[in-house]
Amino acid sequence: MPSVHIIGAGVAGHTLARELVRQNYTGTITISDAQGLPYDRPPLSKSLQVEPFAPVSWYQEHRINLIQEEITELPTPEAEDDYIVLATGTTPRQLQVPGAHFARTLHTAADAVALSQELDTGMFGQRVLIIGAGLVGAEFASTAKMLGAQVTLVSSSNAPLASIMGIDLAQQLHAEHAVHGIRTLTGAVTELGPNHAMVSGQRLEAEIIVAAIGVDPETALAERAGLRCDDGIIVDALQRCLGRKQILAIGDAARVEGQRRAVHWEAAMEDAAIAAATILGADAPAHTVPWFWSDRHEAHVESVGDFSAVDSVVKRYNRRGKIQVVFGLDAGGELVAASMIDGGLMAKAVKKLIAKGKTPPREQLEDPGVTARELGR
């Protein structure tokens, strides 16, 4: 009987299992992960909640072998229709300063549970220092503040995430932290202690220190197996590891040869759909226009497309004079990206426009009276 062994239980690994079930795969499916029951990662930093994709009964119902184990050596497919799938995700980057081990991370369910318990049981107003103001850092800062902590957010820039949402909206969003009572500092961390950090010569005291300075692809298992790795496990357009067609890699750990690595939730799901098609011998779906979201304070933020290709921007403002949407145009004036706050249908409309290669007139992009539905036409 054919088999698929999925190593890693994040969104990519779970989605692949779900797709195989949905498409009536007749072989055996195994998911191995040291953390056990697959869960969604975005809620960890947004709310410190652990949200499983499905109950244990779902895996039992569909005869999926769910094994809590750490795989240290890559299995070998035993038959021509067996597949091994690496969905190993990422590992958090570590600070490279004296005392770096005093910083916590927020990357796993265990991390979220521990931080939630400390914030719940600690004294009201305990000091939380967060190093890094990207997606995880900003989201956790908002959550910790809502749970009564005094929060300081340290960043190396006053426009974190500018590369994926444009500098204008990135600056505005970062400035909003202060409005919600979060202290922000721009500087470099040079040293950590059990309850303090040195930031550009300034000593900051804190009961909880969390480093959220980014992630790297988890490729250790692939490297030990001799698979080609370079900022991710290198795969072809069908998610097959180069030279090893029965070994696939998907999600944040994988990178299609010749392309940049995509590190976001929807891309991982699309990788899984492509891998399912490869395993089943079906036509693979194409990747869609990149899209991601973030929640912080009362704002829901979305970004569509590729801001690295942006040459100029068109900004749309709301009635309070705040940026609501940033449209990014390439050197030829074509719409290639957009970021927005509480965009509603705007993200979907922009996604369709980019996919079809259509760019509305500048005056329509600027006009808040032109709805997403009208813009999409």
Side-chain angles (χ1 to χ4, degrees):
M1 179 180 289
S3 68
V4 174
H5 187 176
I6 304 166
I7 302 172
V11 63
H14 170 77
T15 301
L16 174 56
R18 189 188 65 198
E19 282 295 305
L20 291 172
V21 167
R22 188 180 67 83
Q23 297 183 51
N24 300 313
Y25 176 68
T26 57
T28 61
I29 303 172
T30 299
I31 301 177
S32 295
D33 193 286
Q35 297 181 59
L37 187 64
Y39 61 86
D40 205 6
R41 289 198 183 277
L44 298 183
S45 55
K46 289 177 170 64
S47 60
L48 297 180
Q49 298 295 312
V50 180
E51 298 181 5
F53 291 112
V56 172
S57 59
W58 181 86
Y59 299 93
Q60 294 172 337
E61 176 188 352
H62 296 291
R63 298 186 296 278
I64 296 171
N65 303 311
L66 191 59
I67 305 174
Q68 185 168 0
E69 62 178 347
E70 182 175 356
I71 301 293
T72 57
E73 295 295 331
L74 192 68
T76 301
E78 296 181 359
E80 291 184 359
D81 49 4
D82 289 345
Y83 286 89
I84 308 297
V85 184
L86 290 161
T88 48
T90 58
T91 55
R93 288 179 190 149
Q94 303 297 313
L95 288 164
Q96 301 300 311
V97 298
H101 60 282
F102 290 114
R104 314 266 290 275
T105 57
L106 178 48
H107 189 70
T108 67
D111 295 336
V113 169
L115 286 167
S116 178
Q117 289 176 344
E118 287 196 38
L119 289 168
D120 284 342
T121 60
M123 63 179 180
F124 187 83
Q126 64 184 314
R127 295 164 297 183
V128 174
L129 174 65
I130 303 167
I131 303 164
L135 290 176
V136 171
E139 290 173 356
F140 175 55
S142 173
T143 300
K145 181 63 182 177
M146 286 190 292
L147 293 174
Q150 296 182 60
V151 181
T152 299
L153 186 59
V154 177
S155 174
S156 59
S157 162
N158 66 353
L161 299 175
S163 62
I164 55 176
M165 64 175 62
I167 190 169
D168 302 281
L169 189 59
Q171 286 179 332
Q172 178 177 296
L173 285 168
H174 190 59
E176 286 290 318
H177 287 302
V179 176
H180 292 86
I182 293 172
R183 179 188 183 191
T184 58
L185 291 176
T186 302
V189 176
T190 56
E191 178 189 322
L192 293 182
N195 294 110
H196 80 275
M198 296 299 298
V199 181
S200 297
Q202 183 177 357
R203 182 184 174 98
L204 302 177
E205 306 287 341
E207 283 72 49
I208 298 174
I209 301 174
V210 174
I213 58 173
V215 293
D216 292 313
E218 177 49 80
T219 60
L221 182 60
E223 289 176 15
R224 286 197 296 271
L227 300 177
R228 182 181 162 195
C229 298
D230 179 10
D231 187 33
I233 306 165
I234 305 301
V235 297
D236 63 15
L238 297 179
Q239 305 301 142
R240 301 174 301 192
C241 294
L242 303 186
R244 305 282 292 276
K245 293 187 177 181
Q246 288 175 262
I247 301 177
L248 313 183
I250 59 177
D252 293 352
R255 181 170 72 83
V256 175
E257 186 177 25
Q259 299 181 19
R260 292 190 306 160
R261 187 167 57 90
V263 187
H264 51 86
W265 190 82
E266 189 177 52
M269 294 184 69
E270 292 178 348
D271 280 1
I274 293 170
T278 299
I279 292 167
L280 295 167
D283 292 334
H287 275 291
T288 61
V289 176
W291 165 78
F292 87 91
W293 83 101
S294 177
D295 293 314
R296 56 176 77 183
H297 309 300
E298 292 90 16
H300 177 70
V301 185
E302 295 183 70
S303 183
V304 180
D306 180 8
F307 268 91
S308 71
V310 169
D311 182 71
S312 62
V313 299
V314 177
K315 289 173 275 188
R316 177 182 288 198
Y317 294 87
N318 62 21
R319 294 176 182 176
R320 295 178 297 151
K322 294 281 190 178
I323 296 173
Q324 184 175 13
V325 187
V326 174
F327 298 98
L329 310 179
D330 65 12
E334 298 298 316
L335 180 65
V336 293
S339 58
M340 62 213 72
I341 298 175
D342 301 326
L345 296 174
M346 184 60 74
K348 292 181 179 179
V350 173
K351 220 177 170 186
K352 289 181 180 178
L353 288 168
I354 294 175
K356 293 179 180 179
K358 294 183 178 180
T359 303
R362 186 185 186 98
E363 55 269 21
Q364 289 188 13
L365 296 176
E366 290 178 332
D367 187 358
V370 178
T371 67
R373 196 177 301 276
E374 291 168 337
L375 199 65
R377 292 174 185 161

